[in-house]
Amino acid sequence: GENVEQHPSTLSVQEGDSAVIKCTYSDSASNYFPWYKQELGKGPQLIIDIRSNVGEKKDQRIAVTLNKTAKHFSLHITETQPEDSAVYFCAAIPGTALIFGKGTTLSVSS
Amino acid sequence: EPEVTQTPSHQVTQMGQEVILRCVPISNHLYFYWYRQILGQKVEFLVSFYNNEISEKSEIFDDQFSVERPDGSNFTLKIRSTKLEDSAMYFCASRIRDRRNSPLHFGNGTRLTVT
């Protein structure tokens, strides 16, 4: 089955710096790659997604890149703010179900 | 914005007891999911459900688990005889269509504590 690897597991940055989280997947049938943000006590919230027919997508301070040949995709957050502190999960969909990475705890200090 | 709602937010039960976790998916969504998250770990897929039947399930979803859509709005997860290791956050999710590139929308979860 699909295996999604995510790193780093923790990331600490200063406010205003950029943060990058990387994921790899194993199933070449996966063609949709969402990123979720999870705040304490809440469910995962979709923040951005990318489909396999594009290599990059941007939404304000957040961008995602995809390299289908290498089977990896990355989340980029620029000009980080304290409210970006949360756990971020990447995911892939080889069938009907999302398969998540293990998560990255991002801490943004002011 | 429509959202997935889950009740209760926290459920405490004794080992061996049955529990039912409830979810109201977004009203025009057709595909429903249960995931669980053991404290500090990743979100794990349990089961997907469409057209009143299970479409996919993981190894975690054994005979102790069952799902049901008893009416037009609710989607439930039942654990027949809870074990200590069932303690986790359980998330319900729904999706408007089965295209593999449509997003899942998650509820805020039910924290299940088995004592």
Side-chain angles (χ1 to χ4, degrees), chain A residues 3-4 29-32 36 38 41-46 49 51 89 93-103, chain B residues 33 35 37 40-45 48 55-56 89 91 95 98-109:
Chain A
N3 184 38
V4 179
S30 293
N31 64 358
Y32 174 66
Y36 285 81
Q38 186 179 29
K42 294 190 176 181
Q45 298 295 309
L46 180 72
D49 56 14
R51 293 168 174 80
F89 291 97
I93 302 186
T96 61
L98 270 180
I99 304 300
F100 284 89
K102 289 188 176 181
Chain B
Y33 301 80
Y35 283 78
Q37 185 178 33
Q41 297 187 24
K42 73 174 180 179
V43 182
E44 299 175 293
F45 169 68
S48 59
S55 48
E56 192 174 350
M89 284 290 290
F91 293 105
R95 186 182 201 181
D98 188 35
R99 282 173 55 195
R100 285 164 53 189
N101 57 5
S102 64
L104 270 67
H105 299 265
F106 286 82
N108 281 330

Side-chain angles (χ1 to χ4, degrees), chain A residues 63-81:
Chain A
V64 58
T65 59
L66 170 66
N67 183 328
K68 277 220 82 177
T69 303
K71 296 200 184 93
H72 65 71
F73 56 113
S74 301
L75 177 72
H76 304 253
I77 306 175
T78 59
E79 300 172 28
T80 53
Q81 300 166 3

Side-chain angles (χ1 to χ4, degrees), chain A:
Chain A
E2 177 65 278
N3 184 38
V4 179
E5 298 286 339
Q6 180 174 350
H7 56 94
S9 56
T10 60
L11 180 59
S12 296
V13 300
Q14 292 283 331
E15 183 178 359
D17 287 350
S18 295
V20 179
I21 303 170
K22 298 182 179 182
C23 287
T24 60
Y25 63 97
S26 60
D27 192 333
S28 56
S30 293
N31 64 358
Y32 174 66
F33 307 93
W35 285 88
Y36 285 81
K37 176 183 181 182
Q38 186 179 29
E39 296 174 323
L40 202 60
K42 294 190 176 181
Q45 298 295 309
L46 180 72
I47 56 171
I48 195 167
D49 56 14
I50 190 166
R51 293 168 174 80
S52 60
N53 57 345
V54 298
E56 184 174 358
K57 182 177 178 180
K58 191 172 181 180
D59 182 5
Q60 299 182 354
R61 295 186 297 109
I62 296 173
V64 58
T65 59
L66 170 66
N67 183 328
K68 277 220 82 177
T69 303
K71 296 200 184 93
H72 65 71
F73 56 113
S74 301
L75 177 72
H76 304 253
I77 306 175
T78 59
E79 300 172 28
T80 53
Q81 300 166 3
E83 51 265 38
D84 294 330
S85 296
V87 181
Y88 291 81
F89 291 97
C90 62
I93 302 186
T96 61
L98 270 180
I99 304 300
F100 284 89
K102 289 188 176 181
T104 296
T105 301
L106 174 64
S107 300
V108 181
S109 53
S110 54

Side-chain angles (χ1 to χ4, degrees), chain B residues 42-61:
Chain B
K42 73 174 180 179
V43 182
E44 299 175 293
F45 169 68
L46 292 178
V47 65
S48 59
F49 189 87
Y50 168 69
N51 200 26
N52 286 320
E53 61 182 25
I54 290 172
S55 48
E56 192 174 350
K57 62 181 181 179
S58 71
E59 294 176 351
I60 303 168
F61 194 87

